Amino acid sequence: MKLYETHTAPNPRRVRMFLAEKGITDVEYIQVDLAAGDNLNKDMRAKNPTTKIPFLELDDGTCIGETLAICRYFEEIQPEPPLMGRTPLEKAQVEMWQRRVEFYFMMQIGMCFQHTSGYFKDRMTPVPEWGSEAGKNAVAYMKQLNEHLASSQFLVGDYFSVADINLICALDFARVVKIKAGEDHPHLLRWYQEVSSRPSAQA
């Protein structure tokens, strides 16, 4: 199997952490230079029409795009340890928090980065005002996360899941746009320190 990724990007890190938690090592990592537009060439588009990374290429040539879909594939082929829930309720709660972090935090940070940094200005039209507003949305959502984590070890009770992986990768990437948890977020910081101490966080 081959995972096409960019080592410094947040979404590929989510998959690397997921694989590290699973103990899956038989994956070849292929680095894609996003700044140079390597993801936009004809061969890459044939494998991955959206041009987004990461994407997984199986040994038979089948390709799977989208971060969570890639994680789902590995969850199914190697169920232990489960990272997407163990019971029907837990699976629903993991999906709920995964989507909340995705929409209200990770996506907002991504929009802030794309529209204020100019990193992709050769292939999109940045709207700085939208980028600034997205950054404010991300900061506001940290308050909700902090309140939730006041009574929960992880996003879903005492169960570490793919939702926590999404959140730590988003928080670390947020530093690129100068967004970070502070003294107003003690519970989020407690959570961050705990998750950062996991070996998979170094993946």
Side-chain angles (χ1 to χ4, degrees), residues 26-187:
D26 59 337
V27 176
E28 180 184 359
Y29 294 92
I30 307 296
Q31 295 303 306
V32 178
D33 189 338
L34 291 179
D38 288 354
N39 57 314
L40 304 176
N41 66 48
K42 182 179 179 180
D43 290 341
M44 291 291 279
R45 286 181 183 274
K47 295 177 183 291
N48 183 43
T50 69
T51 75
K52 307 299 183 182
I53 51 100
F55 72 92
L56 181 70
E57 183 177 13
L58 304 182
D59 293 339
D60 67 358
T62 301
C63 292
I64 302 172
E66 307 302 330
T67 301
L68 197 61
I70 295 169
C71 291
R72 169 57 69 186
Y73 175 77
F74 286 112
E75 181 85 347
E76 296 300 324
I77 65 171
Q78 183 171 310
E80 296 297 328
L83 294 171
M84 293 183 158
R86 299 163 294 188
T87 67
L89 175 59
E90 203 170 69
K91 289 177 181 180
Q93 291 173 321
V94 169
E95 178 70 13
M96 175 181 74
W97 280 106
Q98 160 65 28
R99 289 174 67 84
R100 286 176 175 175
V101 171
E102 188 84 40
F103 292 141
Y104 304 125
F105 196 59
M106 172 71 94
M107 188 178 296
Q108 300 303 313
I109 292 165
M111 292 299 97
C112 181
F113 172 72
Q114 291 184 29
H115 288 275
T116 63
S117 71
Y119 190 82
F120 295 119
K121 64 182 179 182
D122 63 327
R123 65 202 75 169
M124 63 173 283
T125 302
V127 181
E129 294 81 6
W130 165 231
S132 177
E133 189 64 24
K136 293 175 184 177
N137 293 341
V139 171
Y141 191 63
M142 285 196 294
K143 179 180 179 182
Q144 293 185 39
L145 289 168
N146 184 68
E147 291 173 351
H148 172 68
L149 290 166
S151 58
S152 187
Q153 180 183 4
F154 299 113
L155 287 174
V156 181
D158 62 356
Y159 172 65
F160 179 84
S161 75
V162 67
D164 297 286
I165 291 175
N166 191 8
L167 180 53
I168 191 172
C169 291
L171 270 172
D172 283 340
F173 184 63
R175 292 179 297 192
V176 175
V177 288
K178 298 180 172 57
I179 293 174
K180 60 181 181 179
E183 59 183 19
D184 291 340
H185 312 98
H187 309 297

